[in-house]
Amino acid sequence: MENTENESPDVNYDEHLVSDLFKQKVTQGIDKDKTISLITYVLGETGEAKLKFIIKSLLKKYGKVDLMDLLYTCAKELIVNSTKAAIKRLAFKEMGIDPSDELEYENFMHSFKENLTDKKFPYYRAKMKENDFYIKVKFFYDHKKIILRIINNFPLLEKEEERIREKFIKAKKYDNLFEFYIDHGDNTEGAGMGITMVEILLAQSGFDRHVFTIYSSKIKRETVAKVELPMHPEHVPIRHGFNAGH
């Protein structure tokens, strides 16, 4: 099943924001072991509530509600990260930026990181829809694992591939989020630390760091952030590793 989320954003979310029809579709889909999908442009208050309902419903099915905070936080961080990537593509277009021009790209990115915050996301909602930039959230699952995929409908730039590799390397220096925040303080949003935080959070929760991967395909024109959470001791995650550009 698929649903498009386009409600007004807010910092709070609650299940009462989710329609009975949506709940019914999700519940029926999970009962039939169907892939559950959510499409968003900018994840707002209602979108957050829908995401939370999907994750809670999936985990309840397998008696793993204790993973709720972990899986929701990973999903939210990666959706925000994907939204910023899409907004960056829009800014390239609006400002006539040539990302292959090293100096032009670096100057743009400095300003982009300084000025883009979550509060500015709503401004770009209509523009993302007009330009067909969306984020697809997909859940694949069985009794052994839940696989979360956050998908952008464009491939990574070479510079972005390099930056993501750097983030994975940086994450390996930390065993927990406390150490990470000590080093970075309040600069995590502006520094685009979502990817780093997700890996640290998974490791801190006792999962192999390789359950989180990012890969990109120029042929399929997509970039996928994937979290594969084992729910059974016999399950061994498929390790794509970072494999961009195929």
Side-chain angles (χ1 to χ4, degrees):
M1 63 156 289
E2 250 177 40
N3 191 281
T4 301
E5 181 280 307
N6 56 8
E7 302 296 330
S8 299
D10 200 274
V11 294
N12 300 311
Y13 51 78
D14 203 303
E15 196 169 303
H16 75 273
L17 296 170
V18 182
S19 70
D20 290 337
L21 178 59
F22 181 86
K23 292 178 184 177
Q24 181 182 0
K25 287 183 176 180
V26 169
T27 302
Q28 290 176 347
I30 292 174
D31 287 344
K32 295 177 181 178
D33 297 324
K34 291 185 176 181
T35 299
I36 306 297
S37 300
L38 178 74
I39 292 177
T40 185
Y41 297 93
V42 172
L43 193 68
E45 184 179 22
T46 300
E48 290 182 353
K50 287 178 178 179
L51 181 65
K52 189 175 182 181
F53 180 80
I54 291 170
I55 293 173
K56 184 176 73 173
S57 299
L58 280 172
L59 294 175
K60 280 183 70 175
K61 176 173 182 171
Y62 299 109
K64 294 290 185 178
V65 181
D66 57 306
L67 295 175
M68 177 71 199
D69 288 345
L70 173 64
L71 190 53
Y72 177 78
T73 301
C74 289
K76 177 72 183 300
E77 287 291 336
L78 294 174
I79 290 169
V80 169
N81 191 74
S82 294
T83 302
K84 289 179 178 179
I87 291 173
K88 184 164 69 173
R89 294 307 191 281
L90 284 174
F92 285 162
K93 184 176 180 181
E94 288 185 346
M95 300 172 65
I97 299 296
D98 177 7
S100 65
D101 184 314
E102 189 75 29
L103 182 59
E104 189 173 8
Y105 178 82
E106 291 302 325
N107 288 337
F108 165 81
M109 284 305 300
H110 178 74
S111 174
F112 185 76
K113 290 176 183 178
E114 289 289 327
N115 294 296
L116 183 65
T117 65
D118 293 3
K119 293 179 180 179
K120 294 184 179 180
F121 281 10
Y123 168 77
Y124 290 98
R125 183 190 303 274
K127 291 180 178 291
M128 288 177 67
K129 294 183 75 171
E130 289 170 10
N131 290 272
D132 197 32
F133 286 120
Y134 58 81
I135 295 94
K136 181 176 285 189
V137 185
K138 303 186 79 170
F139 292 91
F140 306 84
Y141 52 93
D142 57 32
H143 71 286
K144 291 185 177 180
K145 84 275 184 186
I146 289 181
I147 298 175
L148 163 69
R149 286 182 179 157
I150 312 294
I151 305 166
N152 279 116
N153 58 341
F154 49 81
L156 291 169
L157 300 170
E158 185 176 338
K159 297 178 184 66
E160 292 171 325
E161 294 177 21
E162 295 170 359
R163 180 66 179 133
I164 288 172
R165 288 191 181 95
E166 290 172 3
K167 289 179 181 179
F168 277 115
I169 292 170
K170 179 180 291 185
K172 287 175 174 55
K173 298 193 309 184
Y174 301 98
D175 293 321
N176 56 68
L177 287 177
F178 178 75
E179 294 176 357
F180 176 74
Y181 280 117
I182 288 295
D183 280 359
H184 296 280
D186 296 328
N187 297 320
T188 53
E189 182 177 7
M193 293 296 185
I195 291 172
T196 309
M197 290 172 63
V198 167
E199 179 170 329
I200 296 168
L201 182 59
L202 287 165
Q204 178 181 304
S205 301
F207 290 96
D208 189 309
R209 291 174 184 263
H210 290 92
V211 302
F212 173 38
T213 55
I214 295 177
Y215 50 99
S216 179
S217 170
K218 289 183 170 63
I219 295 174
K220 293 183 179 180
R221 296 195 60 77
E222 67 176 19
T223 301
V224 182
K226 173 186 163 190
V227 175
E228 182 173 352
L229 283 187
M231 296 193 296
H232 191 281
E234 293 180 2
H235 179 68
V236 178
I238 300 172
R239 298 181 180 184
H240 283 273
F242 183 83
N243 188 17
H246 287 269

